[in-house]
Structures are given as structure tokens and as C-alpha cells.
Amino acid sequence: GVVIKYRMRPIKAFKAFASIGANPDCGLEEKLASYDFSKTIEAIEECHKKGYILGVVTHDKTNSASRFMKWIDPNGRISFIASGDGEFEKKPHPEAAHKFMDLFGLAANELCIVGDSITDMIFASNAKAGRKVALLSGSGDEKRLKKLSDVLYKDITEFLSDPVLFG
């Protein structure tokens, strides 16, 4: 199984979307429609083709996370979403990862967590994930992300060349 936590550019738009997720009249839906999420959609589809079970763990609220999922997962490949106001402890607490593993009968060594922040990598470590993949598309703290992850990629496109997951 793979838990993907991935914040795409433009980060400002996503943060604005998350903060006003309950306001459908803000015009942000139209703004998001103008962004190219094709690389993220491609990554989700490639993971699905490989038979990976996908989940998202985010600090964002349920309403905004659910609305955003339609942009990055138009084909409904993501089977698990844990949001910041949901039933689980927030990251880096591993509760959401443990629930994901329980739901899908996975062991920790079968879990790959992909993230773009220090918190994501600590979350992966706390969950004892078998593979921790860091992306520089978020915090950009290359030195710390490299130290906390098994592998570090510039972006989601490089992630698709991971020899362990896609080789």
C-alpha cells in the first residue's frame, strides 16, 4: 500500500482553498480548474496500475480535502482519506497510517509514505513505513528531508522513476 500525502504547486492556492473550503462562492474552484494537475493524476494512475492501495493523510479539514480530491483524483483511485478534523490524531502521530494498514491488511514494511515536509517524514518514521519517499515540492528543506527519508526526489515526476516502486 502507498499513502500519498502530496501538496502540489501552487501551494498558495491550495492553502487558500483549504482555509475557505466551506465557501463555494469564492471563485477558487474556477481558479483551481485552471491549474495543471496532470502529473499528480499520472502518479496516482501509475500507482493504481501497479496495484497499490492509495491513501491521503492531510492536516486540511474534511470539507476542503474532499473537494480538492476531485482535482487530483478524478477517477476515484484514492481509497482512504484522513483529514485534520477527522477521527484520527494529527500527523506526525501514526494513528491514521495504522488505520490504513488495518483496513487493507498491510504490514508496516509494505507501507510507503510519500510526503513533502519534515512532518510527513516523521509521520512515516512513526508509522514504521517500509519506504519513506520525500519530495522537494513542499518545504524544500533538502538536507533534513534527505536525512529523514529513504529517497528524495525533486518532484512527483521524478518519483515515477523510483526503482523500488516502479522498477
Side-chain angles (χ1 to χ4, degrees):
V2 176
V3 174
I4 293 182
K5 188 284 176 192
Y6 183 71
R7 176 183 37 208
M8 45 265 312
R9 296 191 185 269
I11 294 170
K12 286 182 182 180
F14 182 68
K15 287 181 179 177
F17 183 70
S19 69
I20 57 176
N23 182 359
D25 300 321
C26 66
L28 196 52
E29 291 276 348
E30 292 81 12
K31 192 171 186 180
L32 284 172
S34 71
Y35 294 127
D36 180 10
F37 296 116
S38 61
K39 294 298 180 189
T40 301
I41 293 167
E42 179 185 353
I44 290 169
E45 290 300 316
E46 288 301 314
C47 288
H48 177 75
K49 285 178 192 172
K50 284 292 215 178
Y52 296 129
I53 302 164
L54 303 176
V56 172
V57 179
T58 179
H59 281 288
D60 297 319
K61 296 194 180 311
T62 301
N63 184 36
S64 59
S66 296
R67 290 174 64 196
F68 191 69
M69 287 299 112
K70 78 176 190 179
W71 295 101
I72 67 166
D73 185 26
N75 300 314
R77 307 298 192 201
I78 296 172
S79 302
F80 178 89
I81 300 173
S83 54
D85 61 350
E87 61 185 281
F88 307 112
E89 294 284 334
K90 290 183 179 181
K91 294 183 294 181
H93 193 284
E95 184 181 11
H98 292 163
K99 181 63 174 182
F100 178 81
M101 290 185 287
D102 289 346
L103 278 174
F104 298 105
L106 300 170
N109 68 335
E110 297 175 291
L111 183 66
C112 172
I113 295 182
V114 179
D116 62 1
S117 70
I118 302 303
T119 301
D120 293 334
M121 293 301 101
I122 295 170
F123 169 66
S125 292
N126 290 347
K128 310 239 184 300
R131 187 143 176 90
K132 301 177 292 279
V133 178
L135 303 175
L136 285 175
S137 56
S139 72
D141 188 346
E142 186 172 355
K143 186 176 180 180
R144 288 190 65 204
L145 285 173
K146 192 171 197 170
K147 183 178 179 184
L148 294 169
S149 66
D150 296 319
V151 64
L152 176 69
Y153 294 116
K154 180 180 77 172
D155 57 26
I156 197 78
T157 303
E158 282 190 6
F159 162 72
L160 290 174
S161 66
D162 185 282
V164 173
L165 297 173
F166 301 103

